[in-house]
Amino acid sequence: MTSPTVLVVDDDRANLDSVARIFQREGFATLSAAQGTEALELLRRPEVSVMVTDLMMPGMDGQELLKASRAIRPDVEVVLMTAYGTVETAVAAMKDGAYDFITKPLKRHALVKAVQKALEKQALVQENTSLKAKLAEINPAGGRAMVGQSPAFRAMLDTIRQAAPSTATVLLLGESGTGKELAARALHEHSARAKQPFIAVNCGAIPESILEAELFGVERGAYTGAVTRREGRFERANGGTLFLDEVGEMPLSAQVKLLRVLQEGELERLGGTQTVKVDVRLVAATNKDLQKEVAEGRFREDLYYRLHVVELRVPALASRREDIPLLAEAFLRRFSAKNGKVLRGFSPDALGVLENYAWPGNVRELEHAVERAVVLARTDVLEASDLPESVRKGPLGSAGQLVIPIGTPMEEIERRVIHETLRHTRGDKTLAARLLGIAARTIYRKLEREQGGRGPVLFRNNFKDLAVSPGFDARPAMAPALLKVPSGAGFLPEA
């Protein structure tokens, strides 16, 4: 197992070297920085577990460095060192997120113990997060988790929370691939019927000739080949929830029988005369405009109002673009485990492609794109080249925005804004320069410098604490803040 890495920060070179040697003798890997700005660059390395920093330093002092570290690497524990220890300073540091506070002259035992305790806390937090993520991704019906933190996603969760305890019929509206079945499962799992069956039926996938038999059951001898009595989906869902996906595809003959079940709570099997009582909570979904279907005579108006007791709109991915990195990270974890791979995350270029693609296929398309990338990945970081060509060269999102984690270096922000603006202009550097408000030579110079220098800096995505139905344990304070930058925003310097 790789040794934990401790980042030591102190403007006193003798003390810096001394503290680094202490941790090296204890078997830790170390990184050293003589000033706060240098420490921030090292802090972006994913191997850093704990930072031990002096409090009083010129320029960026320890408390400012602490606050900055909480913004860009909230998973890294921080221990402060100072010769000016006061209760007030210690309290202020703890409030800002420091794990511990050590006064100079330093005692080797106290310093090592503080870091070991910080690592133990970090391990417990990571274990707890991992367990929550695993539990969130497993539900009684074998479904998958819902992931997000965007306003549109949270509004949907609020409606689910309110509607789930009731017995009211819910109509889920939204584009194909948005996760309507996951929303239906969440309604079921947070209701009093959670321990009873959840049965899903895709009305568009079953031929009209057998849809009624599938829903309402068949008596023996009802038609040629019906040699035994067979229960329908309503009877199998008795006491639980029946989810009718693509309900707008249901033929009018089946709509009449469905209306009776909703009104009377009873049905007759195909070819039978006996009335069967059922207690089923119905959730329906469609990507059609049912009001238009009613106006054109393809859907019964009385059934529409029976289904439309509670309306729940499942947002398209384009309207919750902040959730793309979270979803991508969740899919990465799932498919990495499924395929026996160890992957650290996405490169900035890959993440930029994911965030700016239009996603006409919504979450389902994103899921398939990440699965393909995981399977084809050649390194432990997913690159843009691992993504499907249809995503890399496909239509850009109408929002025309980049989503950049707070704390990303300006050099990296500039690089990504230039590249995404060039994507919008299809490589036209003159047009891109006009949009950015800079000279075309500046773009050429920066691209040449990039090609001649080192590759892009990789930074770690820490989205594991977000999530997630079925637990609805959404904790935005644990997530890195996001900065939205319109593509073509003219803030780059001329140099």
Side-chain angles (χ1 to χ4, degrees), residues 10 47 49 139 183 246 252 275 328 345 348 431 461 474:
D10 198 326
E47 66 267 25
S49 299
N139 61 45
E246 304 298 346
L252 288 170
T275 298
L431 177 57
N461 301 314

Side-chain angles (χ1 to χ4, degrees), residues 84-206:
Y84 307 96
T86 65
V87 173
E88 292 79 6
T89 308
V91 170
M94 294 301 217
K95 285 182 178 179
D96 286 337
Y99 174 75
D100 207 346
F101 189 88
I102 307 295
T103 57
K104 296 179 180 179
L106 300 172
K107 295 181 180 179
R108 176 192 181 100
H109 174 74
L111 187 60
V112 173
K113 184 177 180 181
V115 169
Q116 289 174 336
K117 291 290 186 183
L119 286 168
E120 288 174 9
K121 177 195 171 186
Q122 187 180 67
L124 287 173
V125 170
Q126 290 174 348
E127 182 181 3
N128 186 44
T129 297
S130 177
L131 287 172
K132 283 188 175 182
K134 289 178 180 178
L135 289 172
E137 292 178 1
I138 299 174
N139 61 45
R144 297 168 181 171
M146 298 176 71
V147 179
Q149 65 165 359
S150 65
F153 181 81
R154 290 182 181 279
M156 178 184 69
L157 292 190
D158 285 341
T159 304
I160 288 176
R161 287 192 190 96
Q162 291 178 292
S166 74
T167 59
T169 302
V170 178
L171 180 61
L172 302 175
L173 304 177
E175 298 174 9
S176 179
T178 53
K180 294 189 287 296
E181 183 170 344
L182 289 180
R185 288 183 182 276
L187 284 163
H188 172 72
E189 288 157 7
H190 290 81
S191 72
R193 300 170 180 261
K195 295 183 179 180
Q196 301 303 318
F198 175 89
I199 304 296
V201 182
N202 189 322
C203 300
I206 300 176

Side-chain angles (χ1 to χ4, degrees), residues 128-394:
N128 186 44
T129 297
S130 177
L131 287 172
K132 283 188 175 182
K134 289 178 180 178
L135 289 172
E137 292 178 1
I138 299 174
N139 61 45
R144 297 168 181 171
M146 298 176 71
V147 179
Q149 65 165 359
S150 65
F153 181 81
R154 290 182 181 279
M156 178 184 69
L157 292 190
D158 285 341
T159 304
I160 288 176
R161 287 192 190 96
Q162 291 178 292
S166 74
T167 59
T169 302
V170 178
L171 180 61
L172 302 175
L173 304 177
E175 298 174 9
S176 179
T178 53
K180 294 189 287 296
E181 183 170 344
L182 289 180
R185 288 183 182 276
L187 284 163
H188 172 72
E189 288 157 7
H190 290 81
S191 72
R193 300 170 180 261
K195 295 183 179 180
Q196 301 303 318
F198 175 89
I199 304 296
V201 182
N202 189 322
C203 300
I206 300 176
E208 291 186 13
S209 58
I210 63 173
L211 180 60
E212 290 185 38
E214 284 293 319
L215 290 177
F216 308 111
V218 179
E219 290 286 355
R220 179 181 178 182
Y223 52 78
T224 303
V227 294
T228 59
R229 172 189 289 178
R230 181 159 55 89
E231 290 184 344
R233 305 294 180 95
F234 267 99
E235 289 181 80
R236 288 167 54 191
N238 192 39
T241 303
L242 179 65
F243 172 55
L244 296 182
D245 198 5
E246 304 298 346
V247 72
E249 304 292 338
M250 182 177 287
L252 288 170
S253 57
Q255 291 179 32
V256 175
K257 292 188 176 183
L258 175 59
L259 182 62
R260 183 189 174 193
V261 177
L262 292 176
Q263 289 177 330
E264 308 298 336
E266 60 185 31
L267 57 83
E268 290 180 4
R269 300 187 190 99
L270 197 65
T273 57
Q274 181 181 356
T275 298
V276 179
K277 290 285 187 180
V278 290
D279 173 23
V280 174
R281 202 268 181 89
L282 189 70
V283 178
T286 182
N287 57 11
K288 286 189 172 184
D289 183 345
L290 287 190
Q291 288 184 313
K292 182 180 178 181
E293 296 293 300
V294 168
E296 296 178 359
R298 290 189 293 270
F299 202 85
R300 291 183 63 95
E301 184 176 21
D302 46 4
L303 177 59
Y304 169 72
Y305 288 115
R306 278 285 178 181
L307 296 176
H308 196 254
V309 177
V310 176
E311 177 184 298
L312 175 61
R313 291 194 173 272
V314 182
L317 192 52
S319 65
R320 45 180 294 215
R321 304 192 71 83
E322 304 97 314
D323 294 336
I324 291 174
L326 312 183
L327 288 161
E329 182 77 13
F331 293 145
L332 176 69
R333 290 199 308 271
R334 186 202 306 166
F335 293 123
S336 295
K338 183 178 179 180
N339 291 280
K341 290 194 170 186
V342 179
L343 298 171
R344 290 194 294 119
F346 298 88
S347 73
D349 280 340
L351 200 58
V353 170
L354 294 177
E355 290 167 347
N356 291 284
Y357 176 59
W359 299 112
N362 290 293
V363 179
R364 184 184 295 124
E365 185 183 8
L366 174 60
E367 180 181 11
H368 293 166
V370 174
E371 181 176 16
R372 176 193 185 276
V374 168
V375 170
L376 299 180
R378 297 179 178 85
T379 66
D380 62 351
V381 173
L382 291 186
E383 301 290 347
S385 58
D386 297 323
L387 297 170
E389 185 177 5
S390 60
V391 173
R392 298 196 312 270
K393 299 182 179 179

